[in-house]
Amino acid sequence: PRLWLACTSAMVWWLLAEINTLLATSQNEGNLDSINTWDNCYLSWGMFQWTMGPLGDPGELAALLKVIKEKQPAAFKTFFGDFAIDIAPVTGSKTGYLLLNNVIQNTDARKKAFRNNNWALRFALAGKDPAICAAQVLHAINRFNNFYFVADPAFGGLSINDMLSSEYAASLLLDQHVNRPGHVKDVVSSALIQAGITPQQMAHGSDADELKVINKYLAIRKDFGKSPMTNSDTRAKVIKNFLDKGLISAKKKSFISNRSLRQ
């Protein structure tokens, strides 16, 4: 419910299709104020459980906080800036590092400090603030720009959205991209091959064609790669439940993005 309020009150210009996909996908991750300090990424936060990254690697959490700082500077100052948190200059739109007291948090020892209960509470409280909730939602929906709308030579210059364009497909693909971003393209490619449908045929195909490819995609993704997607079947069932309840659509072109207004 709080995600719905953040979407509808603070991001009213977005189309309902985008909200539908976020509501479906976020069921597999966390609430806007969810916090995790036990795994190898030290601190994970928010509706997509953005992390600090393992060991010395960059993480997606810094990219989220960069959005918060840019879009909601007063809220950033209240919950983070006033506690000596800032964003390292190397941070981009996808990953980066936090600064604490102007020291980059890029080692195991430094990141471990964020497992402290005080930091967990600080982030949990931030996740209840409407301005920060809105920034989370913005950052989450903009994730589609990283993979879904990108023209790819492997698909004859088409994007995944050109081929698989339903709310159901978008929700499943976003779900995988959050969990295993590097797998999405190859799994979609394999699904097209197994279905016997070319990218160009899929772009002009029917609802039934898309569902055929999606079913192949779901069978492939659960065992794909050296480190397969976590709980792929369970996550897919959660999203299918949204479809069965009529909360998302399996009709081609039902996922309509208003991303041009966010450029």
Side-chain angles (χ1 to χ4, degrees):
R2 285 171 22 75
L3 173 56
W4 174 257
L5 288 174
C7 290
T8 54
S9 64
M11 302 292 173
V12 293
W13 63 89
W14 290 2
L15 297 178
L16 187 59
E18 293 181 320
I19 297 173
N20 291 344
T21 61
L22 285 187
L23 289 170
T25 307
S26 65
Q27 299 300 306
N28 285 325
E29 292 297 325
N31 295 320
L32 291 155
D33 57 352
S34 293
I35 194 79
N36 165 17
T37 60
W38 61 266
D39 68 15
N40 68 342
C41 288
Y42 307 97
L43 187 148
S44 306
W45 177 55
M47 60 181 288
F48 279 178
Q49 289 294 278
W50 292 280
T51 77
M52 294 188 74
L55 299 175
D57 293 343
E60 293 185 330
L61 181 62
L64 169 61
L65 263 65
K66 182 178 180 181
V67 171
I68 296 171
K69 184 178 180 180
E70 292 172 351
K71 300 297 184 181
Q72 305 290 352
F76 180 88
K77 181 179 183 298
T78 296
F79 289 99
F80 305 111
D82 287 348
F83 296 88
I85 288 289
D86 207 342
I87 313 303
V90 297
T91 300
S93 62
K94 298 179 182 179
T95 62
Y97 295 98
L98 300 180
L99 296 176
L100 178 61
N101 294 313
N102 291 319
V103 176
I104 190 167
Q105 302 300 291
N106 60 353
T107 69
D108 173 67
R110 292 171 184 171
K111 290 182 180 181
K112 278 181 177 176
F114 284 83
R115 288 188 168 133
N116 183 285
N117 289 340
N118 290 335
W119 282 118
L121 177 60
R122 174 62 43 201
F123 276 86
L125 291 173
K128 299 180 183 296
D129 182 86
I132 289 181
C133 290
Q136 280 197 46
V137 173
L138 174 64
H139 192 54
I141 199 65
N142 278 342
R143 193 180 189 99
F144 277 114
N145 295 339
N146 298 338
F147 75 100
Y148 191 55
F149 298 105
V150 179
D152 196 315
F155 299 131
L158 298 176
S159 68
I160 295 177
N161 172 252
D162 290 327
M163 301 178 292
L164 305 173
S165 55
S166 68
E167 292 178 341
Y168 181 46
S171 300
L172 290 168
L173 291 161
L174 181 60
D175 178 56
Q176 185 182 25
H177 196 269
V178 170
N179 191 258
R180 292 292 187 275
H183 293 182
V184 175
K185 172 184 169 180
D186 290 341
V187 175
V188 170
S189 181
S190 296
L192 288 167
I193 292 170
Q194 288 194 14
I197 299 174
T198 68
Q200 291 73 23
Q201 289 171 333
M202 190 63 256
H204 297 95
S206 65
D207 295 346
D209 291 330
E210 177 165 312
L211 190 58
K212 179 180 179 181
V213 172
I214 286 298
N215 287 336
K216 295 290 186 183
Y217 157 84
L218 287 173
I220 295 167
R221 82 174 194 177
K222 66 180 180 180
D223 297 315
F224 186 82
K226 293 182 179 180
S227 179
M229 189 172 174
T230 305
N231 299 323
S232 177
D233 284 347
T234 301
R235 295 170 72 104
K237 287 177 182 177
V238 169
I239 293 174
K240 179 62 161 53
N241 187 47
F242 271 70
L243 177 65
D244 293 341
K245 290 182 177 180
L247 300 174
I248 55 175
S249 172
K251 291 187 66 64
K252 281 180 68 68
K253 301 187 184 302
S254 57
F255 181 79
I256 302 171
S257 173
N258 212 13
R259 68 196 183 101
S260 62
L261 296 181
R262 300 191 294 274
Q263 302 301 317

